[in-house]
Amino acid sequence: MTAPNEEITATQYSRQDVLRILRIRLKQLCSWERSGLINHSEVYLFQDLVQLRKLRDLRATRLSVANIRASVHAMQQVSGVNNPLLEAGAVRNGARLAFRLSGAMMEPIARQFVFDFDSPRQRQLAQVSSSASHQAALLARVQRLFFEAVRLEEQGKTQEAVVHYENILALDSDHAPTCINLGTIQYNQRQFIVAEALYRRATVADPKYALAFFDLGNVLDELQRLPDAIEAYSTAIRLVPHYGDAHYNVALAYERTGDRRAALRHWTTYIKLDPVGPWSNHARMQARKILEREQLTIVHRGLAARHDHGLRRPRSVPRLIAVPKPLLPL
């Protein structure tokens, strides 16, 4: 078992690989580099991906980069740990981070120990083994299996990746990233019911994982369950207000339900978040169509009010057909 693990650890990833695998934007990566949370590099190793994934998940909880940096720096000072994001478990504690280390939970800025209310997932893992060292080994095995599965997907070995993902879920049934990736494989194979179940499983395992709700919205859209899709996209936006892709897809869904004004609100938000490129061009075109149509509606209603003594006749609106923005490749 040692040799395969060493091979995975030595695997190198380019900057583009990191952005694609972790589904983060380049400006996010550059921001973390400027803040000193991760070193700038053109080549990344397995442990770098683990650290970047942790940063991504912490940012998804709306914890600022400045607060993460302050907590990490304080932890380095009080514990002597060189890289707390890798060497200690980091969880949000108010506007700061607390770190699990040597069986205790510490808030390093206040230099206080705090109660450790474990997440449901960690409690489930703890039940697998009463040994702390065994638990740590299990977590490490899950992480390595996960990144190996991602690597297999990158190589086009989908069925082998599926086996790895299923092995992960056998070890940790609530591993949300695995549920998402396995769900996406099923989605791409048009097994939408199976994909929906996996995405919902991810939202239950991690209710603050915006990507899980976004992917759930996509599959519900495919199943023509637009109100449910809108609810899923809206949850992703509540968790991460600047989630551009969720604004884009919920705008399309609103248009298809006939709620053009709600669609317009999300089109304009998307344009602000992603002002350049083909997707923003399409968003501008849709927003312009809605504005023109709404203006014509107002004129029409004014004429109807004069000729029909205030009675408004319903108007049939042609259905707008647009291609939903695809899932970001893993």
Side-chain angles (χ1 to χ4, degrees):
M1 293 298 291
T2 303
N5 286 344
E6 291 177 352
E7 180 183 352
I8 295 169
T9 305
T11 300
Q12 296 183 340
Y13 303 87
S14 69
R15 288 174 74 82
Q16 288 303 315
D17 290 335
V18 168
L19 298 179
R20 183 171 60 254
I21 292 171
L22 298 181
R23 302 186 184 188
I24 58 177
R25 295 178 182 272
L26 178 60
K27 64 181 181 182
Q28 287 180 299
L29 180 58
C30 292
S31 171
W32 299 339
E33 290 170 344
R34 287 193 301 270
S35 69
L37 288 170
I38 189 78
N39 293 328
H40 175 86
S41 178
E42 296 299 324
V43 176
Y44 297 84
L45 299 178
F46 167 79
Q47 56 264 34
D48 299 320
L49 265 68
V50 174
Q51 183 173 354
L52 284 166
R53 181 179 166 221
K54 186 63 180 179
L55 280 172
R56 181 200 65 185
D57 292 346
L58 289 171
R59 286 291 291 124
T61 69
R62 305 183 191 179
L63 193 62
S64 71
V65 171
N67 286 349
I68 295 173
R69 182 179 63 243
S71 293
V72 168
H73 181 64
M75 189 64 179
Q76 289 171 328
Q77 290 182 320
V78 301
S79 70
V81 172
N82 182 54
N83 193 335
L85 291 177
L86 280 179
E87 300 173 55
V91 294
R92 179 166 182 168
N93 183 45
R96 299 172 179 174
L97 286 180
F99 295 88
R100 293 188 183 96
L101 185 66
S102 300
M105 176 81 83
M106 173 183 286
E107 202 281 77
I109 294 179
R111 300 197 176 197
Q112 293 179 341
F113 289 100
V114 297
F115 289 109
D116 185 1
F117 297 104
D118 281 343
S119 68
R121 174 172 175 264
Q122 288 166 327
R123 287 198 299 269
Q124 188 271 337
L125 285 175
Q127 292 170 1
V128 175
S129 171
S130 59
S131 167
S133 59
H134 189 183
Q135 180 183 346
L138 179 59
L139 286 167
R141 184 182 177 192
V142 166
Q143 285 185 326
R144 293 185 185 282
L145 279 172
F146 179 77
F147 284 111
E148 172 66 2
V150 171
R151 191 164 69 105
L152 288 167
E153 278 199 81
E154 289 289 306
Q155 296 171 352
K157 299 176 181 179
T158 305
Q159 291 308 312
E160 292 180 41
V162 167
V163 172
H164 275 66
Y165 287 136
E166 290 175 344
N167 288 338
I168 293 170
L169 292 179
L171 293 170
D172 178 4
S173 60
D174 293 329
H175 193 257
T178 293
C179 292
I180 289 174
N181 287 9
L182 190 55
T184 300
I185 290 174
Q186 298 295 333
Y187 177 95
N188 290 334
Q189 295 175 352
R190 304 191 66 78
Q191 300 297 317
F192 297 135
I193 300 298
V194 179
E196 179 193 355
L198 286 162
Y199 290 148
R200 288 195 183 278
R201 191 169 167 183
T203 65
V204 172
D206 189 347
K208 294 184 178 180
Y209 204 166
L211 177 62
F213 289 97
F214 173 76
D215 286 346
L216 178 60
N218 285 335
V219 76
L220 291 170
D221 196 317
E222 289 285 352
L223 292 168
Q224 302 297 313
R225 291 159 56 187
L226 292 178
D228 292 339
I230 288 171
E231 182 181 356
Y233 289 137
S234 298
T235 301
I237 291 168
R238 283 196 299 272
L239 292 170
V240 183
H242 300 302
Y243 200 155
D245 291 346
H247 282 287
Y248 186 103
N249 282 10
V250 80
L252 285 174
Y254 271 126
E255 283 198 5
R256 290 166 60 197
T257 63
D259 192 344
R260 295 188 297 276
R261 297 200 179 198
L264 178 62
R265 183 172 66 253
H266 290 283
W267 285 133
T268 54
T269 301
Y270 180 81
I271 293 165
K272 292 176 184 176
L273 295 172
D274 187 14
V276 179
W279 299 112
S280 58
N281 291 340
H282 181 261
R284 285 190 182 88
M285 180 181 68
Q286 295 302 105
R288 186 167 57 250
K289 285 181 180 179
I290 293 171
L291 287 170
E292 291 172 352
R293 183 167 296 159
E294 288 298 310
Q295 188 175 17
L296 289 174
T297 301
I298 293 168
V299 172
H300 174 86
R301 287 176 176 174
L303 291 173
R306 287 195 297 271
H307 293 291
D308 297 333
H309 307 288
L311 295 176
R312 293 178 179 175
R313 294 175 294 180
R315 300 176 67 237
S316 61
V317 180
R319 180 178 176 184
L320 296 174
I321 300 175
V323 179
K325 192 168 186 181
L327 287 168
L328 296 173
L330 182 64

